[in-house]
Amino acid sequence: MSDQLPVPLDPVEAALAQTPARVLAGRAGPAYRTATLLKLREDHAAARDAVHAEVDLVRDFGAELVARLQLFAVQTQAASKAEYLRRPDLGRKLSEAARDVIRAQCPAGCDVQVVVGDGLSATAVAVQVPALLALLQDGAAARGWSFGRPFFVRHCRVGVMNDVGALLSPAVVVLLVGERPGLATAESLSAYLAFRPRPGHTDADRNLISNIHGRGVGPADAVARVFALAEQFRAAGRSGVGITEGAAPQLDG
């Protein structure tokens, strides 16, 4: 055995290894170094592109997955991306045409209903969702739970879960939606979960798994957490405040 002590990490390298944030970047006079400035502009452009891009199911998910899951697309009451960004309220409500299509295409009363929404990052949806959809379908099958026909909602905000709950009455709704992109990544996705959501429910009635991306929560871990929460919802008969990951459910009554 060697008697030599391990060489300690350089303090700057140790700090940089812990975060993607722009710390200890140095400077050129009062300004950023050129490499830092160029990377900042690149990441800002990626974030803007993620917000303004549109999801194409076949291009982004692949024709095989779209066909296997019978994925289809509907839209909220926001008629365009510009209106969606100006009017968050319209992104929380399905259009009348969307309601008709969902009623006709999706079975009601399933144990799990997965919805995909573009949210504020089409990039995150394209990168993260294909793997998650397959794992969610497998996880439901392993538990003997019925899995509703998933669909994509364009110009989507989280509150659209309430309309889905009212239309289809699933036990658990899982919304996979693009997070607001930052300068660390434009590929981060959130999974919002709710037990029997209905109009009038708020964020207090929902649970969230965030930071699903390559440097954050991986697909397998995210899906395991989704089903662990769903099992707690079913046992407690509710979701939201009072439901904590890893905790034993507190039963109503």
Side-chain angles (χ1 to χ4, degrees):
M1 295 179 63
S2 172
D3 293 332
Q4 291 183 341
L5 295 174
V7 178
L9 281 176
D10 176 81
V12 173
E13 292 181 359
L16 292 175
Q18 299 301 311
T19 176
R22 289 171 175 79
V23 297
L24 304 172
R27 60 189 176 90
Y32 289 124
R33 292 174 176 171
T34 300
T36 304
L37 178 60
L38 292 175
K39 188 65 171 70
L40 181 66
R41 293 180 65 182
E42 177 188 355
D43 291 343
H44 185 250
R48 289 177 59 88
D49 287 348
V51 171
H52 291 284
E54 297 284 3
V55 171
D56 182 285
L57 291 182
V58 173
R59 180 195 65 203
D60 295 330
F61 293 3
E64 188 278 331
L65 182 64
V66 171
R68 176 160 59 84
L69 294 179
Q70 297 182 295
L71 286 169
F72 63 93
V74 295
Q75 188 165 313
T76 65
Q77 293 179 11
S80 66
K81 183 59 69 77
E83 185 173 53
Y84 164 78
L85 294 172
R86 290 195 308 268
R87 293 284 306 274
D89 58 312
L90 297 180
R92 300 185 185 109
K93 296 287 187 181
L94 292 167
S95 68
E96 287 304 317
R99 292 169 186 269
D100 292 340
V101 172
I102 292 168
R103 285 193 194 98
Q105 299 293 330
C106 296
C110 290
D111 294 317
V112 179
Q113 176 65 55
V114 176
V115 181
V116 180
D118 49 4
L120 289 169
S121 179
T123 302
V125 172
V127 173
Q128 312 301 341
V129 166
L132 289 168
L133 282 176
L135 290 171
L136 287 165
Q137 185 182 39
D138 291 346
R143 290 164 175 80
W145 294 359
S146 55
F147 187 76
R149 183 177 176 180
F151 56 91
F152 170 70
V153 180
R154 197 174 303 280
H155 307 151
C156 175
R157 301 276 180 176
V158 174
V160 83
M161 298 173 76
N162 294 350
D163 277 3
V164 173
L167 283 171
L168 298 178
S169 297
V172 177
V173 173
V174 180
L175 172 65
L176 305 175
V177 63
E179 294 177 1
R180 179 180 290 105
L183 296 178
T185 180
E187 299 181 356
S188 190
L189 191 85
S190 285
Y192 282 85
L193 296 92
F195 184 77
R196 303 196 183 282
R198 289 293 186 273
H201 285 191
T202 69
D203 282 342
D205 302 295
R206 306 174 187 124
N207 293 76
L208 167 65
I209 299 167
S210 62
N211 293 307
I212 303 171
H213 61 89
R215 292 198 302 254
V217 180
D221 189 25
V223 169
R225 291 170 63 183
V226 163
F227 281 108
L229 280 169
E231 287 168 351
Q232 288 194 66
F233 296 171
R234 289 161 63 95
R238 58 187 171 82
S239 56
V241 174
I243 301 294
T244 304
E245 285 193 76
Q250 299 297 311
L251 304 181
D252 284 341

